[in-house]
Amino acid sequence: MQSDRTPEKNHMALFHHMADAMGVNLEKELLSGRLKLEDLSQSIERCKGCAGPGACKVWLEHAAPGEEDLPPGYCRNATFLRIQRVLGKLPQD
């Protein structure tokens, strides 16, 4: 059976799962203003440029949601996700 997911949708789903694994609530961060839609879009585009989504999928199968301190070293959004994780833990004004 063939998947109905295009490569773009696959990368977007992987990106969102990676954020979940890191404990990053993208919706909350967007609503708080700490994350700009443009920055989120750029991150998804970076993910789409990755040639190894299979490795990401395997890593995510073993990741505990909200419990991962670091994304895998090959993640093109590692720095972005680490920053968002820290910002998400800051008290809101």
Side-chain angles (χ1 to χ4, degrees), residues 75-91:
C75 180
R76 298 177 70 148
N77 283 300
T79 300
F80 170 81
L81 289 168
R82 288 171 49 209
I83 289 170
Q84 288 306 133
R85 180 181 168 117
V86 170
L87 291 176
K89 292 182 179 190
L90 293 176

Side-chain angles (χ1 to χ4, degrees), residues 20-69:
D20 289 342
M22 295 286 301
V24 176
N25 183 327
L26 296 170
E27 182 179 356
K28 176 183 168 189
E29 293 309 300
L30 281 168
L31 291 173
S32 76
R34 291 186 292 231
L35 174 59
K36 305 295 182 219
L37 188 56
E38 180 180 336
D39 294 333
L40 177 59
S41 296
Q42 288 174 355
S43 295
I44 292 170
E45 287 302 313
R46 267 192 306 276
C47 188
K48 287 179 186 179
C50 178
C56 189
K57 183 178 177 188
V58 170
W59 188 89
L60 287 166
E61 287 172 356
H62 301 284
E67 299 295 321
E68 302 301 325
D69 292 326

